[in-house]
């Protein structure tokens, strides 16, 4: 069986890593061909992940990035289609909710190639988010939908998708958290490099267009960070850095700006933070995996179960709420059963594809 996997952004590298490792442990059953669209093309945003996660170099690097959503998606569809016509795979496997995800799904469905979508069924119910449109459209082109949670499965059924297409496998990000935890502990020296101690800082990430493309929202986030008077470490996304400069915003003195990190260093900072402030979907879950309270800088989240269990606080960009929750982080909620499966989602995915 030949599977073409399409990835292009940091969270997808992590998800694909554990699934690809599972595929490679099944010799003779699955031949995987990897396409990297180039959506994240900076070395710190891309190459370091392939090195750290021990992912094989992509068979195809399309080098598409830096444009608008429409430009990127259109160029990706054209180049992905050419690869699919050459390779003639049995399946196209896509992850998450990026432009790369949607481009892969559109290229495949037009050629009548079956599509499998990992992390299907997530909904923020905010159609102004590019990610929401990407995930909805991808779900409705896919033949196999691998969902991480009960809520995600129910969302698909509510939209009329057949139950036989839905496979609730758990979350591959949880697989990755378990798989790479010890490697991060052994190989990351980021705490020593930054001269910080465990639980002495807040970790922040901000990159979503709804925040970075709106100077009022971005300023409010910075005001909340400043008012918290806590030590904040912020691996700054290149796009966010540009927007701060474009809007002539001032970074508060209590923020330490660092370059984007590889996965292992990011895991260590997440595990040892007192609280995490983010607008990332993946980081919300990783905070939960490591028992760290999360303050989500969005008006809604597709990971509603984290809010329901008390590990995640939705604050939008309300500077007062941000400051209060970062200053006095809530105590982590103890849990015994993971909301995201048993850490064997990748094996379930491989089995479903082989036995389809």
């Amino acid at each position: 069986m030949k599977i073409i996997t399409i990835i292009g952004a940091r969270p997808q590298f992590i998800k694909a890593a554990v699934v690809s490792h599972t595929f490679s442990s099944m010799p003779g059953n699955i031949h995987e061909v990897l396409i990297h669209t180039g959506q994240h093309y900076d070395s710190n945003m891309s190459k370091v992940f392939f090195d750290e996660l021990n992912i094989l170099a992509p068979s195809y690097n399309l080098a598409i990035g830096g444009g608008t959503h429409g430009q990127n998606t259109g160029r990706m569809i054209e180049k992905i289609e050419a690869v699919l016509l050459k390779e003639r795979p049995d399946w196209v496997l896509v992850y998450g909710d990026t432009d790369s995800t949607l481009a892969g799904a559109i290229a495949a469905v037009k050629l009548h190639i079956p599509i499998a979508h990992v992390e299907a069924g997530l909904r923020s119910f905010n159609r102004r988010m590019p990610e929401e449109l990407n995930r909805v459209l991808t779900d409705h082109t896919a033949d196999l939908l691998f969902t991480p949670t009960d809520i995600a499965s129910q969302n698909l059924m509510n939209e009329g998708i057949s139950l036989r297409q839905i496979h609730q496998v758990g979350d591959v990000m949880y697989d990755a958290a378990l798989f790479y935890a010890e490697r991060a502990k052994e190989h990351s020296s980021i705490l020593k490099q930054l001269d910080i101690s465990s639980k002495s800082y807040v970790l922040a990430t901000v990159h979503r267009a709804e925040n970075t493309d709106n100077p009022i929202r971005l300023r409010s986030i910075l005001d909340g960070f400043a008012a918290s008077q806590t030590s904040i470490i912020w691996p700054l996304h290149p796009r966010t850095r540009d927007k701060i400069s474009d809007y002539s915003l001032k970074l508060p003195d209590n923020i330490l700006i660092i370059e984007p990190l590889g996965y292992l260093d990011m895991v260590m900072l997440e595990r040892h933070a007192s609280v995490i402030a983010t607008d990332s979907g993946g980081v919300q879950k990783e905070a939960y995996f490591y028992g760290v309270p999360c303050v989500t800088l969005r008006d809604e989240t597709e990971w509603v179960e984290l809010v329901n269990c008390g590990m995640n606080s939705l604050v939008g960009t309300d500077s007062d709420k941000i400051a209060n929750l970062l200053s006095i982080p809530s105590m982590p909620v103890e849990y015994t059963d993971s909301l995201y499966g048993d850490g064997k989602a990748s094996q379930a995915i491989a089995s479903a594809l082989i036995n389809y």
Side-chain angles (χ1 to χ4, degrees):
M1 175 187 294
K2 180 188 285 188
I3 295 175
I4 281 191
T5 295
I6 298 171
I7 55 178
R10 283 174 56 142
Q12 293 171 329
F13 306 153
I14 301 166
K15 296 165 192 171
V18 287
V19 177
S20 294
H21 282 305
T22 299
F23 287 168
S24 65
S25 70
M26 308 171 77
N29 289 326
I30 296 178
H31 171 58
E32 185 180 28
V33 177
L34 193 63
I35 298 177
H36 181 4
T37 64
Q39 184 172 333
H40 279 175
Y41 49 88
D42 180 271
S43 178
N44 284 343
M45 302 289 284
S46 179
K47 183 179 182 299
V48 66
F49 273 65
F50 285 86
D51 294 341
E52 287 188 342
L53 302 178
N54 196 25
I55 307 173
L56 291 177
S59 301
Y60 299 90
N61 193 324
L62 307 185
I64 298 170
T68 65
H69 287 292
Q71 289 171 335
N72 286 346
T73 306
R75 293 167 185 162
M76 288 175 192
I77 292 170
E78 180 179 8
K79 289 197 173 184
I80 291 170
E81 181 184 64
V83 176
L84 298 183
L85 287 170
K86 175 184 176 182
E87 294 285 349
R88 297 292 181 181
D90 299 291
W91 285 94
V92 166
L93 181 63
V94 294
Y95 290 83
D97 55 18
T98 69
D99 293 341
S100 301
T101 310
L102 179 60
I106 291 175
V109 75
K110 294 286 188 180
L111 295 174
H112 308 292
I113 299 170
I115 302 162
H117 184 201
V118 175
E119 207 175 73
L122 302 187
R123 297 292 182 268
S124 68
F125 301 101
N126 178 0
R127 291 294 181 95
R128 293 183 61 83
M129 290 175 57
E131 296 88 353
E132 182 77 353
L133 296 175
N134 290 344
R135 62 174 72 108
V136 171
L137 293 171
T138 299
D139 282 341
H140 284 267
T141 62
D143 299 271
L144 276 179
L145 298 114
F146 295 117
T147 60
T149 63
D150 294 338
I151 293 173
S153 297
Q154 187 61 53
N155 286 338
L156 295 177
M157 289 186 280
N158 291 345
E159 294 174 11
I161 291 177
S162 171
L163 186 60
R164 66 179 180 80
Q165 295 174 257
I166 301 169
H167 291 249
Q168 187 169 321
V169 296
D171 198 314
V172 292
M173 290 287 281
Y174 185 44
D175 291 24
L178 296 176
F179 188 85
Y180 289 106
E182 282 307 308
R183 180 177 294 188
K185 187 176 179 180
E186 292 172 5
H187 295 284
S188 173
S189 60
I190 190 66
L191 298 182
K192 184 176 180 180
Q193 291 173 34
L194 298 178
D195 192 24
I196 52 176
S197 57
S198 183
K199 306 304 178 184
S200 68
Y201 61 90
V202 170
L203 177 65
T205 74
V206 182
H207 75 279
R208 285 192 183 270
E210 65 193 88
N211 288 329
T212 60
D213 290 357
N214 186 322
I216 295 174
R217 290 180 68 91
L218 190 53
R219 181 181 293 109
S220 186
I221 290 171
L222 292 176
D223 288 345
F225 286 174
S228 73
Q229 297 185 334
T230 57
S231 177
I232 297 174
I233 295 175
W234 188 355
L236 192 57
H237 192 289
R239 189 170 177 277
T240 309
R241 185 189 295 272
D242 291 343
K243 292 295 183 179
I244 289 172
S245 175
D246 292 345
Y247 303 146
S248 300
L249 299 176
K250 184 179 183 300
L251 288 167
D253 293 335
N254 61 321
I255 295 179
L256 173 63
I257 295 296
I258 61 175
E259 292 298 315
L261 297 168
Y263 180 58
L264 301 183
D265 283 340
M266 190 64 178
V267 165
M268 286 299 287
L269 284 183
E270 288 171 343
R271 293 180 69 176
H272 291 278
S274 61
V275 62
I276 293 173
T278 188
D279 60 7
S280 162
V283 174
Q284 291 176 55
K285 287 184 297 176
E286 287 169 338
Y288 170 76
F289 298 153
Y290 304 129
V292 178
C294 184
V295 175
T296 296
L297 309 171
R298 290 169 53 189
D299 299 320
E300 67 284 308
T301 179
E302 52 276 14
W303 303 107
V304 293
E305 60 279 346
L306 295 178
V307 177
N308 294 340
C309 81
M311 283 292 288
N312 193 342
S313 300
L314 278 176
V315 298
T317 58
D318 186 308
S319 57
D320 290 335
K321 290 181 179 179
I322 294 170
N324 289 338
L325 287 170
L326 298 192
S327 302
I328 310 174
S330 59
M331 291 297 292
V333 175
E334 295 294 331
Y335 64 91
T336 54
D337 296 321
S338 172
L339 296 171
Y340 299 105
D342 59 3
K344 298 180 180 178
S346 58
Q347 291 95 318
I349 289 166
S351 295
L353 288 167
I354 290 172
N355 296 321
Y356 184 76

